[in-house]
Amino acid sequence: MYLTPEEEKLFNGERGATYQKAIEILTALGDIYGADRLIPIKSAQIAGVSYKTIGDAGLEWISDLKGKVAVPSILNPAGMDRECWREMGISEEFARKQEEIIRAYEALGVRTECSCTPYYIFDNLAGYGDHVAWSESSAISYANSVIGARTNREGGPGALAAALIGKTANYGFHLDENRKPVVLIEVEAKLHDSDYGALGYIVGEMVGDRVPLFKLKSKPSKDELKSLGAAMAASGAVALYHVTGVTPEAGKYETPAEKITIEERQIRDVYTTGEPDLIAFGCPHSSVSELERLAQLFNGKKVKKEVWVCTSRALKNKHPELIRRIEKSGAKVFCDTCMVVSPASERFACMMVNSGKAHKYVPNLCGGVRSIMATTEACVEAAVR
Ligand code: F3S
């Protein structure tokens, strides 16, 4: 892999051990995946924030790094709401460690908004054709597919290394040839809202890490595309998809020869029933329009069960009246975290979600909590019943 004279200096440790370690990570990835060089990135989104997932070893690794990120960089959700962690049932010990992790990132110049939807917070992180290094799977999918930016599925250390150097290795989804669809998904049903998460839940398992092109009978909103991509990234490893007539790169490519047809019955089969003791919305973090919809659905009602709505702190702070309308029902709006990455959900037996991604992850990552997938309306009904 070619390195510029300036990159060689970093590689030889002339700017210290942190930058040397960072460029070693990038060149090692580049060598494995056949990159020719490093390319500049516009932003980084760094996973590996929750103390639940990285533990003391992760905290130690980040704390040992000395330097500053070279591009705007933002964190993935942490293991707790940084203000309301007691209300979530988080222990003092966990909260202390979690704050240490966030402060260690902050010392490196990383912004401490903890969200998997950074594109709702900052306009300038990624635009069409921009190279970025993002590492939360739903954010990666959104950046590649909906925005038309270019990122690989970076691991937490890879994204942090890219943030420190301001570059990433030129391979995978940074290259035109890897962005073309290889399988056509024809959906014979009109979809709405959480149906897109259900569709992603099915299709991710079928296509693995390949690039699908969807032909749909309905036109998805950006929130619905977010749900579709998040679910496919969880049940499979889809980092990029196209939707004919909707996503920005779909028209650039020929229709793939391989075709999978999805029938309405398959979508319906993803939905399940049961008695939840926690109902959680906001995977990925809720947008303003999703919060508005919840405020309308909960209007004049009182929840009878524990209800969480996850969003970013930036949106919560910007829309206090909207948050107040949701909280009036007794639902709790949590920021900086989510129902999957926080250990707080592990004290419940059964979680109802309207997200294909959460439905996939909850049973595996939340200490045995069962999951029920339902429409947004059914989740609200279950909450107030
Ligand atoms: Fe975001 Fe947590 Fe879902 S990080 S995509 S809300 S699992």
Side-chain angles (χ1 to χ4, degrees):
M1 196 172 140
Y2 169 76
L3 293 184
T4 65
E6 190 52 38
E7 290 162 359
E8 288 281 1
K9 283 185 192 164
L10 296 174
F11 195 82
N12 294 332
E14 289 182 29
R15 278 187 63 200
T18 293
Y19 293 102
Q20 186 178 31
K21 207 179 292 177
I23 203 159
E24 274 173 9
I25 292 173
L26 298 181
T27 51
L29 285 168
D31 285 340
I32 291 167
Y33 293 106
D36 57 347
R37 63 198 162 100
L38 297 177
I39 49 170
I41 54 166
K42 192 159 185 198
S43 66
Q45 190 257 353
I46 301 163
V49 182
S50 174
Y51 181 59
K52 170 178 157 176
T53 46
I54 69 166
D56 289 316
L59 171 57
E60 205 175 305
W61 188 76
I62 302 156
S63 304
D64 280 349
L65 300 173
K66 304 279 174 273
K68 289 286 177 211
V69 294
V71 291
S73 304
I74 186 168
L75 290 178
N76 208 39
M80 62 182 202
D81 184 305
R82 295 182 71 192
E83 289 178 6
C84 308
W85 53 270
R86 283 193 182 81
E87 205 178 327
M88 295 189 86
I90 294 287
S91 70
E92 298 266 351
E93 166 71 0
F94 185 98
R96 193 172 53 76
K97 294 279 191 178
Q98 183 61 76
E99 280 301 319
E100 275 181 47
I101 292 170
I102 294 170
R103 278 199 300 273
Y105 277 118
E106 194 173 22
L108 296 170
V110 180
R111 298 197 60 128
T112 55
E113 287 88 355
C114 300
S115 177
C116 51
T117 56
Y119 41 87
Y120 293 151
I121 306 176
F122 303 104
D123 291 335
N124 60 350
L125 290 181
Y128 184 84
D130 288 337
H131 297 281
V132 299
W134 288 16
S135 59
E136 194 284 316
S137 65
S138 78
I140 291 164
S141 173
Y142 196 92
N144 272 326
S145 314
V146 183
I147 298 173
R150 296 178 170 221
T151 179
N152 285 317
R153 286 170 66 97
E154 301 282 359
L160 181 54
L164 287 161
I165 304 296
K167 294 178 181 175
T168 193
N170 189 32
Y171 68 93
F173 294 112
H174 295 288
L175 304 172
D176 281 341
E177 63 260 34
N178 298 318
R179 299 180 69 84
K180 67 170 188 275
V182 294
V183 53
L184 174 68
I185 310 290
E186 205 165 294
V187 182
E188 293 187 337
K190 284 205 167 166
L191 307 179
H192 164 66
D193 187 56
S194 51
D195 296 342
Y196 285 94
L199 173 65
Y201 185 91
I202 305 167
V203 172
E205 279 179 0
M206 292 173 170
V207 305
D209 64 358
R210 295 185 294 161
V211 179
L213 169 70
F214 285 88
K215 206 169 151 203
L216 299 172
K217 280 191 165 21
S218 39
K219 189 168 180 189
S221 65
K222 287 197 172 168
D223 289 335
E224 290 167 336
L225 291 172
K226 175 181 75 169
S227 303
L228 171 66
M232 281 194 291
S235 66
V238 176
L240 165 66
Y241 64 93
H242 306 286
V243 181
T244 301
V246 177
T247 57
E249 289 178 58
K252 279 172 68 175
Y253 304 103
E254 285 178 13
T255 304
E258 183 183 340
K259 180 171 122 176
I260 298 172
T261 303
I262 304 288
E263 296 170 3
E264 181 154 12
R265 170 190 55 79
Q266 290 169 278
I267 307 281
R268 299 290 148 240
D269 284 351
V270 179
Y271 292 111
T272 48
T273 53
E275 268 310 309
D277 51 356
L278 170 64
I279 295 144
F281 303 91
C283 172
H285 275 176
S286 299
S287 65
V288 176
S289 49
E290 288 170 319
L291 292 171
E292 176 59 44
R293 179 140 185 266
L294 287 174
Q296 285 172 14
L297 288 169
F298 278 118
N299 185 28
K301 298 174 182 149
K302 286 278 173 217
V303 302
K304 308 279 187 325
K305 296 194 173 81
E306 182 85 357
V307 176
W308 295 358
V309 177
C310 302
T311 189
S312 61
R313 184 161 301 284
L315 293 199
K316 184 173 178 180
N317 288 345
K318 207 167 161 193
H319 301 278
E321 177 56 23
L322 185 50
I323 302 300
R324 193 196 58 75
R325 282 166 57 208
I326 295 171
E327 288 180 338
K328 205 171 165 204
S329 70
K332 297 169 182 170
V333 179
F334 289 129
C335 306
D336 320 314
T337 188
C338 79
M339 68 293 267
V340 173
V341 299
S342 174
S345 56
E346 292 173 11
R347 66 193 149 95
F348 297 93
C350 181
M351 192 187 315
M352 182 179 266
V353 293
N354 64 344
S355 153
K357 172 167 179 173
H359 186 49
K360 185 70 193 179
Y361 277 175
V362 163
N364 300 321
L365 300 177
C366 298
V369 179
R370 280 178 292 118
S371 170
I372 300 166
M373 171 81 183
T375 63
T376 305
E377 289 88 346
C379 287
V380 171
E381 259 171 49
V384 301
R385 193 159 52 218

